[in-house]
Amino acid sequence: MKRESPIKILFFAVFVLMANFSLAQEIREIHVSPSGDDNNSGTFERPLKSLGRATAVLGAMDSHQLEKIVVWLNDGVYRISNAIVLDSTVKKRGTTFKFKAVEGSSPTISGAVELKDWTNLDNGIWVSEVPENLGIFRELFVKGKRAIRARHPNKEYLRVKEVGADRRTNFTYHIGDFPQPKKPGEVELVVFHDWSITRIPIKDISLDSHTITASDSIGAKGLNFFNLDNWEPNPRYYLENDIEFLDAEYEWYLDSLASKIYLKLPTDLEPSQLSIEVPLAESLLIVEGSEQNPISNISFEGISFKHCRWNIPNHTYAGIQACNFDTQQGNKEWAVVPTAIRTTWAHNIRFEDCEFSSLGGSGIWLGTGTINSTITSCRIRDISGNGVMIGEGQDRRVSGGPWWKIAPHQAALGNKVVDSDISDCGTQFYGAVGIWCGLTAETILKNNEIYNLPYTGISIGWMWSPEPTPCRDNTIAENHIHHVMQKLSDGGGIYMLGLQPGSKLIDNHIHDISVNAGRAESNGMFLDEGTKDVLVENNLIYNIAKSPLRFHKAQTNFVKNNYLFTNGETPAITYNNTLPENIHQQRNRKISTDDPNYKDALKKALSKHTTTPN
């Protein structure tokens, strides 16, 4: 056997040493664990304890010579009271940041605190003092599940007897509709409009006139179609947050004046056996650059983001659409329900195999100036507002004018949501959607399952006319959307509006939109005002309460090779203030339940379609 010379062996050893040294120079690892210590060095053997300390270490590092920094998160819950902020003080140019779960672990970043001191009041009702730092809150979680804020009725809703003279602030109720609240001033009135809701405090409940009076205008000011009886003469409503409504297991009531919280549990359970949590943090993660210095190349893998509070400003939420709401401070002054995770002026930000859940506002927002960022194989569920938001609306100003006219290059561009599971959004603000996209370009929403929503599955566009905006070349493809529009109306599996040249709705599978509440239709796809130059091709739509496809004040669009299954004599396509000749159709299959071959045709269509039920 040939033996290597000592010189060659020495040369090889030096080479390996230098290679390892070079690798160490290019990649740095920081380890974090809930059982660690922030005085540790952050190595595998001596991990840090908090993510706040980890970001401080990142900001203090001279990372210019490093190709990549990996922050490893071990199993456990990382409780935070303030958002993790990644900005130019933490992230230097060039270096890639990765926040990754250690293999086999499930780290959770939580903005909640636990409530542990409870007193038994009998009949399964327990009471606890509210810690001073919590103040007023809107959510409580028991065993990881959202508890119900005490409401009446427990299911469904009541009906207004008669709308008041001003059509905005008061109405009469039916005698016996609800038990008289102990503290009416702490009760929240929840009123349903066609595609949004209002949450507003009660000013007075008159036992003599059987009248409920709200603390301010119900519905967005300056928009007359929010008059209480505009859509229905006897709109739906219910009442929330009073001790008199605390009659079902896992309901809770907050007496903010006395700083006490009441919780009803099964009689065989005690709070000491459960994890009872209240959100404290108002945001969980902010990734923020600037237009001149965008932040880039950050990824999050295998991490859960959970529990984030949002208290309604001025205690009144007058929903307009898709979690835009009237601030009630002026005429047509709008705001947006904030998200727990937000990116602005950010490039190449990636969330993979992450979970966003139990959040009090909306979920995750790829916001202003976000480019080429992705949400991949993630789970978004149990969100009070929108699940995912991309881009922005019309309101931001640049040099005194609308940003989309003055600086259209600032639009969110090339972002993706793919292979993700999105469900149970809009748990508080029913006008929310699974994925909302504003004036965005080259957005791709592909192969997502979106379901169990009170309103629309996907909403894209934010201009109610064919006026040119930066919105273009968006693709919504191969998504499975079902059991949406469960509480509201005038939306659909996909809702689209405005001029979006080059955009496509292709190969989507939409079904089970069987609830049609309110006056307006609920559809498989609803292409609203100004929709123009859009291709609708090879979609499968069935089991829809109304028409599978609806156009309203739409312009020229192209509808090809779709399977449109209808209910009885319901038309496959509805044209509201739209010229039918402007909708260019080719080879669409329109099949009614009256057709004896309906079931066979649906079975055949399902077998051919590229997106099948998960």
Side-chain angles (χ1 to χ4, degrees):
M1 181 175 67
K2 182 178 179 181
R3 300 181 64 180
E4 298 291 349
S5 70
I7 294 177
K8 286 186 176 181
I9 294 174
L10 179 62
F11 176 80
F12 180 74
V14 171
F15 174 80
V16 171
L17 181 63
M18 292 300 294
N20 287 337
F21 178 76
S22 176
L23 184 63
Q25 288 291 93
E26 292 175 0
I27 300 177
R28 170 74 187 274
E29 297 183 337
I30 299 173
H31 294 262
V32 192
S33 170
S35 60
D37 190 314
D38 279 346
N39 292 316
N40 284 346
S41 58
T43 61
F44 175 80
E45 296 81 8
R46 303 184 69 236
L48 302 174
K49 181 179 179 62
S50 70
L51 294 170
R53 177 58 183 158
T55 55
V57 170
L58 288 172
M61 291 173 60
D62 182 10
S63 60
H64 289 87
Q65 302 302 316
L66 296 173
E67 179 182 321
K68 182 193 306 180
I69 299 175
V70 182
V71 180
W72 292 100
L73 275 64
N74 282 276
D75 208 7
V77 178
Y78 298 81
R79 295 193 183 274
I80 61 174
S81 56
N82 295 297
I84 300 162
V85 179
L86 300 177
D87 58 15
S88 59
T89 67
V90 176
K91 173 76 164 64
K92 277 69 176 179
R93 286 180 178 271
T95 305
T96 295
F97 279 8
K98 289 193 173 185
F99 293 78
K100 298 184 66 172
V102 171
E103 186 173 356
S105 70
S106 300
T108 297
I109 298 172
S110 171
V113 296
E114 289 191 88
L115 296 181
K116 295 185 176 181
D117 297 323
W118 294 85
T119 301
N120 191 353
L121 297 182
D122 207 5
N123 294 322
I125 296 178
W126 298 76
V127 63
S128 178
E129 298 284 342
V130 176
E132 188 174 341
N133 65 330
L134 279 180
I136 296 175
F137 52 89
R138 303 184 57 82
E139 296 173 300
L140 183 81
F141 296 87
V142 180
K143 295 192 298 184
K145 293 184 178 181
R146 183 184 295 265
I148 299 171
R149 195 160 75 146
R151 55 166 286 182
H152 185 89
N154 291 332
K155 304 285 186 181
E156 298 299 326
Y157 43 77
L158 303 169
R159 286 280 185 180
V160 167
K161 182 179 180 182
E162 185 176 359
V163 171
D166 66 8
R167 305 176 68 194
R168 277 303 186 112
T169 63
N170 65 90
F171 59 85
T172 57
Y173 60 87
H174 297 276
I175 298 174
D177 265 0
F178 52 84
Q180 179 66 18
K182 295 288 186 186
K183 295 187 176 182
E186 293 215 329
V187 174
E188 189 167 272
L189 169 65
V190 183
V191 180
F192 290 67
H193 313 295
D194 258 26
W195 62 80
S196 67
I197 64 166
T198 292
R199 287 181 171 271
I200 189 168
I202 285 178
K203 180 180 180 180
D204 179 65
I205 299 178
S206 172
L207 297 179
D208 296 328
S209 62
H210 310 299
T211 300
I212 292 177
T213 302
S215 63
D216 201 341
S217 178
I218 300 170
K221 294 180 178 179
L223 298 171
N224 289 335
F225 50 75
F226 278 105
N227 288 340
L228 278 171
D229 56 355
N230 180 63
W231 290 288
E232 298 180 280
N234 310 104
R236 297 169 291 161
Y237 76 98
Y238 65 84
L239 305 177
E240 199 170 87
N241 198 52
D242 191 81
I243 193 72
E244 288 295 316
F245 309 152
L246 191 64
D247 58 1
E249 293 176 353
Y250 299 106
E251 280 193 333
W252 64 280
Y253 154 63
L254 175 64
D255 184 343
S256 62
L257 296 177
S259 295
K260 294 181 183 293
I261 182 171
Y262 297 81
L263 173 64
K264 186 173 177 62
L265 294 174
T267 54
D268 60 342
L269 282 181
E270 296 185 2
S272 60
Q273 301 170 274
L274 308 168
S275 170
I276 301 174
E277 297 173 290
V278 173
L280 173 61
E282 296 182 352
S283 182
L284 299 183
L285 173 66
I286 297 172
V287 180
E288 188 171 41
S290 65
E291 185 174 14
Q292 295 73 29
N293 184 23
I295 196 165
S296 63
N297 301 325
I298 304 176
S299 65
F300 304 86
E301 300 176 28
I303 301 169
S304 292
F305 297 86
K306 198 169 187 178
H307 299 137
C308 182
R309 74 158 60 192
W310 183 62
N311 284 338
I312 298 171
N314 305 309
H315 309 289
T316 298
Y317 175 84
I320 297 169
Q321 188 169 325
C323 286
N324 284 255
F325 65 98
D326 183 3
T327 64
Q328 304 288 67
Q329 299 303 296
N331 188 35
K332 297 185 180 180
E333 184 178 314
W334 293 11
V336 183
V337 174
T339 53
I341 295 92
R342 187 185 79 242
T343 69
T344 54
W345 302 114
H347 299 178
N348 302 314
I349 310 300
R350 184 166 59 90
F351 296 87
E352 182 174 350
D353 192 27
C354 291
E355 181 169 295
F356 310 91
S357 64
S358 303
L359 301 174
S362 292
I364 176 171
W365 191 351
L366 304 181
T368 301
T370 299
I371 295 176
N372 295 334
S373 296
T374 61
I375 298 170
T376 303
S377 301
C378 289
R379 297 161 302 285
I380 297 101
R381 61 181 181 84
D382 187 23
I383 312 293
S384 286
N386 296 326
V388 177
M389 300 176 67
I390 301 176
E392 59 187 310
Q394 304 173 19
D395 296 340
R396 184 168 59 88
R397 312 288 286 182
V398 172
S399 301
W403 73 270
W404 51 275
K405 287 185 176 180
I406 306 300
H409 60 278
Q410 295 180 352
L413 174 69
N415 301 296
K416 299 179 182 179
V417 182
V418 296
D419 302 327
S420 293
D421 186 288
I422 301 172
S423 70
D424 301 287
C425 303
T427 57
Q428 281 196 71
F429 310 111
Y430 301 143
V433 300
I435 303 176
W436 176 88
C437 303
L439 302 180
T440 68
E442 300 179 27
T443 299
I444 295 176
L445 310 177
K446 185 175 181 180
N447 198 35
N448 303 290
E449 183 171 12
I450 303 171
Y451 57 102
N452 289 350
L453 302 180
Y455 183 55
T456 288
I458 294 173
S459 176
I460 188 161
W462 205 246
M463 176 63 69
W464 284 261
S465 76
E467 183 174 359
T469 73
C471 204
R472 61 172 177 80
D473 297 305
N474 298 305
T475 301
I476 301 176
E478 300 177 30
N479 299 285
H480 181 199
I481 304 170
H482 58 98
H483 295 92
V484 300
M485 304 302 302
Q486 295 292 289
K487 293 183 184 294
L488 302 179
S489 61
D490 210 16
I494 297 174
Y495 173 78
M496 195 173 204
L497 69 162
L499 175 64
Q500 301 189 40
S503 294
K504 303 174 183 178
L505 310 179
I506 56 175
D507 295 308
N508 296 285
H509 179 183
I510 302 173
H511 62 94
D512 284 287
I513 303 178
S514 56
V515 177
N516 192 72
R519 185 184 71 177
E521 285 193 17
S522 297
N523 306 96
M525 291 183 180
F526 177 18
L527 281 66
D528 203 357
E529 297 184 48
T531 302
K532 184 179 180 181
D533 295 341
V534 171
L535 173 64
V536 181
E537 184 173 19
N538 198 35
N539 300 282
L540 169 59
I541 307 175
Y542 62 94
N543 198 19
I544 309 298
K546 297 293 183 178
S547 295
L549 184 58
R550 174 160 66 115
F551 293 92
H552 175 238
K553 294 185 179 180
Q555 307 293 313
T556 302
N557 295 284
F558 305 89
V559 180
K560 301 166 54 178
N561 299 319
N562 298 281
Y563 282 94
L564 306 176
F565 288 84
T566 64
N567 182 14
E569 296 181 358
T570 302
I573 302 176
T574 295
Y575 307 93
N576 299 146
N577 299 304
T578 300
L579 295 173
E581 56 265 32
N582 283 346
I583 309 302
H584 300 283
Q585 300 184 49
Q586 295 180 16
R587 300 183 298 276
N588 297 294
R589 289 73 143 189
K590 303 173 184 178
I591 305 160
S592 167
T593 51
D594 292 340
D595 189 323
N597 297 317
Y598 177 90
K599 289 184 178 180
D600 289 339
L602 178 57
K603 185 177 180 180
K604 184 177 180 180
L606 284 167
S607 68
K608 286 184 175 182
H609 206 266
T610 56
T611 305
T612 56
N614 294 339

